[in-house]
Amino acid sequence: MSKYQIAVVVGSLRKDSFNHQMANAIVKLAPSDFSFKQLQISDLPLYNQDDDANPSPPVKRLKAEILASQGLLFLTPEYNRSIPGVLKNAIDQASRPYGQSAWAGKPAGVLGVSVGAIGTAIAQQHLRNILAYLDVPTLGQPEAFIQAKEGLFDQDGNIGAGSQKFLQAWMDQYVAWVKKHAA
């Protein structure tokens, strides 16, 4: 069993999303004592405070998987200069009721891929603001604003040669961050 279980939250529901591809590819750059589990967020109901006392089974599952992890990895697209609603809903669901957040204290890394030249820079900043409020220590440097373009992934779905060195350095920093902050 891996020493560090990382909960991966991809803020896109699209089957062939760039962020799902990145989630599958970047984890291959991690050391063997890290394992990664993509969390399902597509079946979560919309957050409603009336449900706090009796959360649905998908919400209970999400919170349990987060609590069982030693770290978090978020991959967010950028929708209308912010994070997608489905990602915000997952964050809200696992942070409630107030004072019972599953996210608190879990070290996190934030990535995102977009066709735009600045990648997901604005969405990442919005996500970092939310995570700061939720007491999630988030890796600040290096930032990774990744543009989806030819060669980002190779034919086998791995990180392409042109991005390999940069994303390996990002993963190395993320691993050190998790080891520093994980309880």
Side-chain angles (χ1 to χ4, degrees), residues 64-87:
E65 290 173 342
I66 294 165
L67 290 169
S69 71
Q70 287 73 51
L72 307 166
L73 178 58
F74 291 91
L75 290 103
T76 183
E78 185 165 301
Y79 293 177
N80 301 315
R81 300 283 189 230
S82 192
I83 64 172
V86 68
L87 177 55

Side-chain angles (χ1 to χ4, degrees), residues 3 16 27 36-37 50-51 55 59 69 81-82 84 88-89 91 94 105 108 122 175 182:
K3 184 173 181 181
D16 294 326
V27 301
F36 296 82
K37 179 178 182 168
D50 293 340
D51 298 331
V59 172
S69 71
R81 300 283 189 230
S82 192
K88 182 64 166 73
N89 186 57
I91 291 169
I122 298 170
V175 164

Side-chain angles (χ1 to χ4, degrees), residues 2-25:
S2 296
K3 184 173 181 181
Y4 298 97
Q5 174 66 41
I6 306 301
V8 180
V9 183
V10 180
S12 175
L13 300 182
R14 189 169 66 88
K15 181 181 70 154
D16 294 326
S17 81
F18 297 124
N19 288 283
H20 275 288
Q21 291 175 52
M22 181 58 70
N24 292 330

